[in-house]
Amino acid sequence: GTLGVAVVGTGRMGADHVRRIDRVISGARVAAVVDVDAERARAVAGPVEGCAAYTDPAAALAAPEVDAVLVASPGSAHEAALLEAFRHDLPVLCEKPLTPDAASALRVLEAEQRLGHRRVQVGFMRRWDPEFTRLKALLDGGELGRPLLLHCRHRNASVPSFFTEPMLINDSVVHEMDQTRWLLEQEISAVTVLRPRPGRDAPPGIGDPQLVIFETEGGVLVDVEIFARCRFGYQVQAEAVCERGTARVGDAHGMLVNRDGRWGGEIAPDFTVRFATAFDRQVQAWVDACRRGTVTGPSAWDGYAAAAVCEAGVRAQATGERVAVELAARPALYQD
Ligand code: ISE
């Protein structure tokens, strides 16, 4: 039957997922929404037929009509929500990050292993982006030879005023960490953060843009330009430089308009627009897996590995030093 989903967190991302499950996805409905802000929970639940509003995740996840959980609350609240979902043995799609640091991510891994089966898909939605999936297929096919370098650009038009320097790593570059691991099928072994002079929109004491360098265990170098206040639009690009050719995604302009002696395309304003298809396909894949009783996509291990790289990245950012990434042994439950 239809999968009853509880959406925990009704901020910008959670509300967008409620809309997506209610209007776009097949095979699921939003049975409950949870938010500490009761008024906001009611406002998001209101337009959704048969959707109950809660302020307590435990009450929502205990409801008989809830079969699965989508966690879209702030990263610091993810561990509690995940452990509550495990208490009811419910499948979970957890928005990135799995949790904000390696220690809490390892606690989630241990709890999931005690269940004896995987229950978590982490919301690294670029794995479902049409352009990125073509890049992954091309690299997997090997026709360009081995990747040697990966050039990444991650530009936001703007970020909220509370957006700190560590959030550049934990909230934004975390996507390039998962993208690197997924595209190359290698772990990241070290992180370095370099700083150009800050742009005029960078708040005092905050470096924006920054250049983040990953080394991988297979010897590939990845450079990530993170520019959180670029003003002109939301732009994510990745170019793989291989032994016999290169491939770049993120330049597609959709419609190209000629007029008044000029030509041009549009740039998305933010990630909900640029990655709308990726989010839709990610959540549909999750719902289909839940209804089959299986799991798909990035696991809690991928969430832990990203958290470990984030910790190294924040330390590299603060010290200006190259920081090695220390990973725990990969448990059997997460061996591919
Ligand atoms: C946001 O949380 C996201 O996940 C977006 O994909 C990223 O581009 C943005 O910088 C983050 O703040």
Side-chain angles (χ1 to χ4, degrees):
T2 300
L3 191 79
V5 177
V7 176
V8 178
T10 58
R12 182 170 170 204
M13 198 72 248
D16 193 41
H17 283 315
V18 167
R19 174 198 58 80
R20 170 171 292 109
I21 295 168
D22 189 41
R23 304 279 177 78
V24 179
I25 300 303
S26 61
R29 72 178 188 89
V30 184
V33 295
V34 187
D35 200 289
V36 289
D37 178 340
E39 190 49 44
R40 190 164 75 173
R42 273 196 297 274
V44 170
V48 180
E49 189 186 340
C51 177
Y54 294 83
T55 53
D56 172 14
L61 272 49
E65 56 276 10
V66 171
D67 310 307
V69 189
L70 195 163
V71 177
S73 47
S76 56
H78 287 188
E79 180 180 2
L82 286 157
L83 297 181
E84 189 61 35
F86 293 167
R87 264 188 279 283
H88 300 278
D89 199 15
L90 292 174
V92 192
L93 172 56
C94 183
E95 267 295 338
K96 38 66 68 179
L98 176 73
T99 66
D101 56 70
S104 53
L106 281 174
R107 289 196 293 270
V108 170
L109 262 64
E110 280 147 21
E112 188 175 41
Q113 288 171 83
R114 284 196 295 276
L115 281 181
H117 45 226
R118 280 180 49 189
R119 276 287 187 240
V120 176
Q121 175 180 330
V122 182
F124 290 122
M125 79 290 176
R126 292 186 189 177
R127 296 190 183 204
W128 282 273
D129 175 72
E131 292 188 60
F132 275 96
T133 51
R134 286 191 62 195
L135 178 59
K136 168 71 173 162
L138 181 66
L139 296 181
D140 286 353
E143 68 181 275
L144 297 184
R146 296 172 306 156
L148 307 173
L149 296 165
L150 205 51
H151 302 309
C152 305
R153 300 185 185 112
H154 185 161
R155 297 166 174 162
N156 286 193
S158 66
V159 286
S161 54
F162 56 78
F163 208 85
T164 62
E165 264 211 344
M167 287 177 77
L168 286 175
I169 302 291
N170 291 328
D171 204 49
S172 304
V173 177
V174 66
H175 284 287
E176 275 77 20
M177 295 168 190
D178 182 68
Q179 158 184 312
T180 294
R181 296 184 62 254
W182 173 64
L183 287 173
L184 305 180
E185 296 182 14
Q186 298 176 31
E187 292 300 347
I188 294 167
S189 55
V191 187
T192 305
V193 177
L194 303 177
R195 294 161 179 274
R197 63 182 176 182
R200 71 179 64 187
D201 290 334
I206 289 193
D208 185 22
Q210 295 185 2
L211 190 64
V212 182
I213 315 288
F214 301 150
E215 297 162 60
T216 74
E217 61 187 3
V220 178
L221 282 185
V222 182
D223 58 274
V224 183
E225 172 207 317
I226 175 63
F227 195 177
R229 301 168 181 83
C230 80
R231 286 200 180 193
F232 64 79
Y234 183 85
Q235 197 171 57
V236 168
Q237 298 172 334
E239 179 177 33
V241 178
C242 304
E243 290 169 305
R244 292 194 298 281
T246 68
R248 187 164 99 186
V249 294
D251 290 287
H253 292 291
M255 179 172 67
L256 196 148
V257 176
N258 294 310
R259 71 177 154 208
D260 305 334
R262 299 177 63 82
W263 62 272
E266 293 180 346
I267 300 176
D270 67 30
F271 58 89
T272 57
V273 173
R274 166 63 185 78
F275 287 112
T277 302
F279 281 118
D280 292 349
R281 290 182 175 181
Q282 169 194 247
V283 174
Q284 188 65 67
W286 175 63
V287 166
D288 294 349
C290 289
R291 297 180 73 199
R292 288 194 308 266
T294 61
V295 288
T296 185
S299 68
W301 169 263
D302 297 307
Y304 158 70
V309 178
C310 279
E311 273 190 20
V314 170
R315 203 171 316 135
Q317 186 185 61
T319 63
E321 303 291 323
R322 172 185 180 276
V323 178
V325 179
E326 305 296 333
L327 285 181
R330 188 166 183 160
L333 187 65
Y334 304 106
Q335 296 295 346
D336 286 339

